[in-house]
Structure formats: structure tokens, C-alpha cells
Amino acid sequence: MFADIVGYTALMQENEQLGIETRAKYLRVLETQHEAFSGTIVQYYGDGALTMFPNSVDAIRCAVEIQKELRRPPAVPVRIGIHVGNVIVEPTGLIGDSVNIASRIESFGIPGGVLISDSVHDQVKNQSLGFVGLGKFKLKNVGRPFEIFAVSADGLEVPAANFLQGKGERFASLPSNLPDPGTPLLGRDGDLFAVVDLLDRHRVVTVTGPGGIGKTRMAIEVCQRLASRFLDGVAFVSLAAVTDAADFTPAMAEVLDVKEAEGRSLADGVAALIGDKQALLLLDNLEQVVSAAPEVATLVSTCPELRVLITSRTPLRIGAEQQYVLVPLALPPSEEGHEPESTMAYPGIALFVDRAKMAKSGFELTANNASAIVAVCRRLDGLPLAIELAAARVSLLSPEALLQRLDHALDILTAGPRDRPDRQRTLRATIDWSHSLLTASEKRLFRRMAVFQGGCSLESIEATCSEDGDSVLDDLGSLVDEGLVHIPGPGDRFQMLQTIRDYALEELQAAAEADLIGRRHAAHFVDVAADIGHGIEGSDQVGSIERGVLEDADLRAGLDFLLSEAKGGDSQSAELGMQMCGDLWLYWHIRSKHLSARAYVRELLEAVTDEGPTIGRSNALRTAGLASSTLGHFDEALEEYLESYRIAQELNGDHEMALAALLLGIDSLTIDMEQAFKWSGEALDRSRAQNYTWALGLASTFDGILHAVSGDAAIAASRYDEALTIQRSLDDKEGSGISLSGLAQLASTSGDLTKAIGLYQRSLAAFEAIGDRAEEARVLAEMAWAHLSADDPAAARRSFLDSVQAYNDVGSVRGIGTSMIGLAAVGAVEGRPRQAVQIAAAAEIFAREEGIVNVYSEDVPGHGYVERAKAELGTDDIDSAVQEGRSLSVKEALALARAAEPAMD
């Protein structure tokens, strides 16, 4: 931990006595709290201090208490930064990179706040602490980029998410989403060392072995150990629910948050996101779609620094692959004469005992039960999952009784068809046996839970799996205790391992309940979609988006079920599906799922034989219209909005008419301004008449846009302010982000650039909070032009670079091209005319090759800057610079632009 007093030198110069008293309080609080949390003060540096702690949790809690104490009058303004890592202990103190990193992080803090590194965050994120992510940044003289977080707690100053905006180029990385296994990995040290070594030497490593051998658990441990080596992130992609190779890339894109973009395949989007990042991708359970191997090979060949770790029952057999066969856990060689101490040295036995202790408090391996435990583990072939399932039963059975029952069950259950390998039959038989011991109601819940695609909440389980509203808590608790359902990490979601879910699906089919439970599942997620839609328009927008992300796989599964039923002639399913599409309109828009939204709506509309007006149809057409408009198909969008409005009008759907009018107003902006104002006025009137507060806020924003385009800045500003009053009351991030950026545009146009930049920063923070990457890209680019106009080319460069990354994420070729023109303009302003011409040429050729022809025209803001740069060069120099620029890739052009950007201090 680094801490120092802000402004101490100036205070001593102004009032020495007050400075002495301030430092005395600071030292007293520092020493008291360090003693309370077992911290050690290593060194004082005048008003600064370097300290250390036995663990990250105590360091943070100590820092929080220090700040609380120091904020009491007379307040002492102190910054604190915390990092965890190795140090070198010398007689004079601590040295090493970790000390340097902690110091850097502290220097970016605010008085009364606590900043931590991603290394600390990884260790404490599951504790009862709050954090605000401030982004990933390159620190001066530090090898890898660091993600920085602010601790959020009562009594602390907590900076906004955009607090570090402008202090360095944000570093884009893959999502770090490794699951928390919840239990230690036992007996795999040799395997871990071997796989880590293979990943050092090979681009693709596939860990193979039968189901239940522990491939996923070990691969997660490998990734955790290697996380510090992969500077740009370690991403976990579960393919357990993917059975069609065509769904492999969409599943990967969903996890990596690759945005849909017309004209760009998802595979290209994934490759663009990863690029030359030093990243590790864990593809889990690939055996069901092993035919997607060529896509993995292409991705690896496209992304030079990418490493891929795969778990599968079979290898991919691609050129870059190295296979590692995972074998069962080691066991004692015989079943007689086992001393507890020596027996525990075998990983299979250690696993059984560890899990048995979780099932029965006080359980121990003894001389009396050691032989029985060894016999059980040997009977289960050392398969970790089978051992865990058996160990869960010691809550009811002694090891001896367990062995007797298990022996009998396995003799019967493995005596059937021998078309499976022995270990696979052993695992299947163990699951069979474990299942046979369930009660009738537990079996029913077990098979019905197989309907869920990802994790599921208790609410979803009750709605989908319970019988006549009965409580499922006791049965669910039993399934968790028996190891058939697990709780991944902290929280209240439940999940099945894929091997067990496969078995449960078979049971669901055998019970002839697949259609019944599928229908219940779809009906429940119709309700979930409605809740998400209402939440986005209500006071829990961020929470509703997060819920949508969490439930996305099951939302799609519900829609797929309804679509399948609709294609079979079920009009009720078609209506429910269309209503679901209508409820998800803003969720899909904010998440950039425009292609999926349009595809679902169109397929449902095509499946409907009765084309009579329904509210579901009106809502679905609104969703399709928004997707079409965002994708640039404005004529189609206008037709879809008009049809949505016509149907709503016929059915007296005031709510739907207000939304359709609102969207028609903004879509008519470039076609018929008079008609646009009419639609906008109707949207305002209808929203007011219904007390439809959220829609009134957005309608006011859109009306402000129309007035701004018409040149009436005063009315535009008034509308934006009216909108913001509503949007702040609802915590509407999406709406307030648009309104704030509208006010920023007005301020920029009027010449008040300081105000404009401040408003843009607030707008950007709103869009970052809600996750609207496309709007982030737009605001970053507009803010960059404001910085350039304010004679701050360095800030402009950083914003343009960030906007290029954001536009790349959403697949906007035009956006990438225009932001590159902005970087060319920065070069021109900074007196590098040749660089400006090169980057502009690279932008123009890139866009032209991608089918966009007008990123460099007189209408583009950077055109004048680049033309002035050309005027500083001779004809030959211009020609050679253009030719050199046209040969540059986007990556090379951005590197050229970055050449003048210093690292974050």
C-alpha cells in the first residue's frame, strides 16, 4: 500500500504549524489502523508511507478505515493505492516492480479514495466489497497494462467510471471471466506443470479424456496460473450447450461481447477483437462440435499472439495442436493394509476425503475405514466426478456401507451393452446409481432442470420445474448436497456439469416431459423478457441489462422454442414470440444485437398464417424497425415503424403508438423535417397523456435533436434539460447519455469547448455504465474533435484511438475510417504533415476496400486539416506519402499515430 497527503508541501509553506498537526494526525491514524489489521509500516517518505499486509482483504479494509478517520474534522486529504505482488526485502526497505506499480496507482487517486490494481481485485472480488472499474491502462515503466478499480464503500470518495479519462489510452482486452470453481484442485500438480509447459511451446493445446475426468476443472486452474502472462486477458468459452458447429462462432462471440455488424461475419469480428493481443482462450467441452476445428485453426493463424486451451473428449487434429491426455487420479495399488497417512498421499483418496468432509462435518480417514475408501475409489476407476458423487453419500452411509451398495449397483449397471469404454461406463453407472437414490420428487426436479442452457436462478427453477406451485427448496438442496447440481461461485445461481446434464436430458425425454417443460421454460422467459423491458424503461436500467446478459442463452432458447412451435402452426406461440421480441427491443439495441433482432422478428412474421393485427406484432415490428434503422436500412425501418403504428392505432394501443411515433420522428429527420416534428409532437403528447415517464424523457431528447438540426439551439437545449430531469430521476443511462451528448454538441457549436468536453465525459460515463458500445464510439469521436478545437491534440489523439477501438468492436468501417481521419488531423496540428497525409491515405484505402467511399470528403471535419498538411509538402512528397499510407494496414497506421503518445505517467 502507498499513501500520501495531497498538497502537503504547499500546506507547509502556507501554514507550517497546521502542516505539522495534519501530518501528526495522519501518522497516528495510519499506525492505529495498521495495528488493527496486522499491517506493517515499512517506510515513511515525508508525507508518504509504504506499507504491507498479510492479505489483500485486510489491506483494503485498513485503507477504508484510514480514509474514514481522516475525513473527520480536521480532515486530512490522503490518496491510497494498493497492489499485490512479489517484492525484494532489503535492509533499507522494499524494492521491485510491485512497489513501483502501487506507487503509480496511488498517484492517480483522489483525496479520500482508495484505488487498487486488477491483481488485488481478482483476490477480493467475491468479498462483500464494492468496486468501480476505471479502465485498463498502460503505466509508465511497467510491462503489462493494468486494470484499475476504485473501492466503493460508505465514507469513501468514489470517482466516476470515467475519472481516468484522458490520462492515457484505454487498453482494450478480452473479458476475464474464468469461473470460480469453489473447491481446491487436488492431485493434478504434475498435469498442471505439463500443460503450462505445452502452452509455452504450442499455440493450441487440447486436454482430452473421458467425461468426469476433470478436464474443465484442471483447465481453469491452468488459466488462473497463466493469467499474469497473458496481458490482454483470459477468456472462458463454455460450449457445453452447443451441439451444432454452426453455433460455435456465435457462442464464442457472445462470450467475448463481439457486436453484430452487417457485412462482417462473427468470425471476422472475433478475429478483429483479438487481433494481436496476448490472450488465452479456453474453449471448454468442444467435443460436441469438433467439426468446428477449421474455425479454430483460422482464428489461431489470424491472431499471432493468441493461445488456445481446449477441453474435449477427442482432439481437433489441426496443425497447431498438441494433445495432452488426462488420466484418472492416482490410487493405492491394492485394497489391503492401508495406513491413513500414506493413503492420503494418493490424490484420488485425498479428493474423496475432502468431499466427504464437505458432506459430513467431522469425517476423517481412519485405519478402520481406509480400506473401504480405497476400494470405493478403485471401483470408480479414479474418476474425479464419480468419486465426488460417491463421497457426497457419506452423509447417510459409512464407507463400508457405501462400498457394499456401490459394488452391487455397479455390477448390475455396467453389465449392459459394452459399446462404451470401461471408464465411461463406470461414470455412467455411478450417475445412474446416484440418481437411483433420489426420491421421486428429487428425480423430477433433476430431469427438469436440464432444460436450462446456462445457470439458472431459484425463481426460474420454481417457475419451470415445480409441480402445482410446490416448493423446490428441499429437493434442490438435496441435489446440491449429492453433487448433481452445483453453485458456481458466489451468488444464488445453480448449474449442472455437462456430463450430468446430458444424463438429465435423457431422463427428461424418457419421462415424456420435454415438450411440457420446454413450454413452461419458454413461458417463463417470456415473463423474464417483459421484466427486462420494464426495468430498462423503469428505474433499474443497468440491473435489467445485466440480467439480460445473464439470462441471454435461456432467452434465446425460449424464443427458439416459440419460433419452432409457430412454424408448426401455433399462433399463440407466434404471438408470445413477437411480444418477447418487442420487450427485448432496447436490450437488443444497447447490446448491438441488431441482426439477431431483425432475424427473429422476420422469422416469426413469416411463420404467422393469420396476419391480423395484434399487440405482439406491433411491438415486434418496432423492434425490427429499430434494428433496420441502426443498420442503415432507413426505408425498411420507416415501413416497419409505420406498420407498427397502424396496428397499434387499430387496437387502441396508446403505449405502442407513443413509441412508434417517437421513432418515426427521429427516422424522418433526413426525409421530411416537417413530418418529423409532427411525429415528435405526437410522441410528446401521447407520453404525457399516459404518464409514460420514460418515453416522455426520450421523446424530449429526440425533439431536442430535431430542433438542434433545425438550428434552434435554445429550444433544443430546453428539451435536453427537460429530458435530463426525467432521465436522472429514473437513472436512465441510455437516455441521459444521448441528452448529454446533445448538450455537448450545442456547447461545442457555440464555442464553449470546456463545457462541451465536460458534457461529453458525462455522456461517455453513462454509455459505459449501460454498455452501449456504439454510442461510446460516437461520443469518443465527437469529444476528440472538441479536444482538437480546444488546442489539446494529445487528448484528441487518445480519444480518437479509443473511438477506433470502439468502432472496431461494433464493426463500423465508416467509424474507423473517420476516426483515422481525425488522427491524421491531430498529426497535422502537431506539425507532422507527412504523417497526417499517410494516415489519411490509409483510412481512405481501408474504407474503400470495405465498400465505404466517403470517409475523406469535404464534409468530414478532418478534411481541412489534412489539406493544410498537404499544402506544407511538395508535390513529390505528397505523392510518396499517399503511396506509403495506402500500403499501411489499420494496425500500422494506428501505430504511426501512437508514436507521439507518451505512456501513462
Side-chain angles (χ1 to χ4, degrees), residues 239-453:
L239 300 165
V242 179
T243 57
D244 187 335
D247 295 328
F248 165 71
T249 299
M252 187 164 51
E254 180 69 26
V255 171
L256 299 178
D257 198 21
V258 172
K259 307 302 184 183
E260 297 174 353
E262 198 165 43
R264 182 185 76 173
S265 70
L266 283 175
D268 288 342
V270 170
L273 173 71
I274 297 174
D276 59 354
K277 294 181 174 67
Q278 288 183 283
L280 175 59
L281 203 57
L282 171 50
L283 304 178
D284 188 45
N285 283 305
L286 192 62
E287 63 269 2
Q288 298 181 106
V289 286
V290 74
S291 58
E295 296 179 52
V296 177
T298 300
L299 183 64
V300 171
S301 65
T302 305
C303 305
E305 300 299 324
L306 176 67
R307 291 286 191 276
V308 182
L309 179 60
I310 296 166
T311 69
S312 175
R313 296 181 189 180
T314 59
L316 272 65
R317 306 195 189 286
I318 58 177
E321 179 187 37
Q322 181 69 31
Q323 182 182 2
Y324 184 83
V325 179
L326 194 62
V327 299
L329 294 173
L331 297 170
S334 67
E335 299 179 11
E336 299 296 335
H338 299 292
E339 293 296 328
E341 186 173 343
S342 60
T343 303
M344 274 292 286
Y346 288 92
I349 306 302
L351 177 63
F352 182 97
V353 173
D354 182 78
R355 300 306 186 259
K357 286 181 176 180
M358 294 171 63
K360 184 176 182 179
S361 177
F363 181 88
E364 296 290 344
L365 177 71
T366 67
N368 293 329
N369 64 21
S371 292
I373 290 173
V374 170
V376 166
C377 294
R378 288 178 61 83
R379 195 71 173 87
L380 298 174
D381 293 333
L383 289 170
L385 179 55
I387 290 173
E388 292 191 23
L389 289 174
R393 289 292 172 180
V394 301
S395 60
L396 297 175
L397 300 171
S398 68
E400 294 77 13
L402 178 63
L403 175 61
Q404 183 179 10
R405 286 174 175 261
L406 187 62
D407 253 340
H408 178 68
L410 292 182
D411 284 341
I412 295 172
L413 295 170
T414 60
R418 306 187 66 85
D419 57 349
R420 291 190 180 109
D422 288 346
R423 284 172 183 149
Q424 192 171 340
R425 286 188 291 111
T426 297
L427 178 60
R428 170 70 184 216
T430 307
I431 298 173
D432 260 331
W433 170 74
S434 190
H435 178 259
S436 72
L437 299 178
L438 301 176
T439 66
S441 61
E442 289 168 354
K443 289 178 179 176
R444 183 176 63 221
L445 177 60
F446 172 71
R447 65 178 178 259
R448 290 178 175 182
M449 282 184 66
V451 74
F452 295 106
Q453 300 295 305

Side-chain angles (χ1 to χ4, degrees), residues 48-70:
L50 168 62
T51 71
M52 62 183 186
F53 293 82
N55 60 72
S56 295
V57 173
D58 283 343
I60 291 176
R61 288 179 175 158
C62 178
V64 170
E65 291 305 315
I66 288 172
Q67 293 291 29
K68 285 182 179 179
E69 286 289 323
L70 293 177

Side-chain angles (χ1 to χ4, degrees), residues 645-657:
Y645 182 89
R646 184 195 66 76
I647 293 172
Q649 187 176 43
E650 186 174 342
L651 297 174
N652 295 318
D654 289 337
H655 181 100
E656 290 72 23
M657 290 170 71

Side-chain angles (χ1 to χ4, degrees), residues 20 64 190 206 362 425 472 745 865:
I20 292 171
V64 170
T206 300
R425 286 188 291 111
V472 299
Q745 290 166 353
Y865 290 96

Side-chain angles (χ1 to χ4, degrees), residues 640-717:
E640 287 158 340
Y641 288 150
L642 285 168
E643 181 65 4
S644 173
Y645 182 89
R646 184 195 66 76
I647 293 172
Q649 187 176 43
E650 186 174 342
L651 297 174
N652 295 318
D654 289 337
H655 181 100
E656 290 72 23
M657 290 170 71
L659 292 177
L662 182 155
L663 293 165
L664 279 163
I666 204 67
D667 207 60
S668 301
L669 187 153
T670 58
I671 303 171
D672 184 341
M673 185 62 79
E674 183 179 352
Q675 186 61 47
F677 272 115
K678 287 181 180 178
W679 283 120
S680 183
E682 179 176 341
L684 288 167
D685 291 342
R686 288 189 179 279
S687 299
R688 286 195 189 96
Q690 299 173 65
N691 289 320
Y692 190 179
T693 308
W694 174 85
L696 179 59
L698 193 59
S700 299
T701 298
F702 284 0
D703 198 59
I705 293 172
L706 295 179
H707 280 94
V709 172
S710 298
D712 196 334
I715 295 181

Side-chain angles (χ1 to χ4, degrees), residues 132-139 145-148 160-173 232 277 761 764-765 768-769 773 776 780 783 795 797-806 809 898 901-902 904:
V132 174
L134 302 178
K136 199 168 199 175
F137 296 89
K138 297 174 184 175
L139 305 180
F146 275 82
E147 189 164 5
I148 299 175
N162 66 341
F163 170 65
L164 293 180
Q165 180 70 37
K167 293 196 175 182
E169 182 189 342
R170 283 179 179 263
F171 196 94
S173 62
D232 302 315
K277 294 181 174 67
Q761 288 174 338
L764 181 61
E768 286 176 340
R773 193 66 168 142
E776 287 179 43
L780 281 164
M783 182 166 64
R797 180 192 300 103
R798 290 193 291 268
S799 289
F800 277 130
L801 286 167
D802 288 344
S803 73
V804 168
Q805 180 62 58
D809 290 348
R898 287 189 179 99
E901 174 69 7
M904 185 177 177

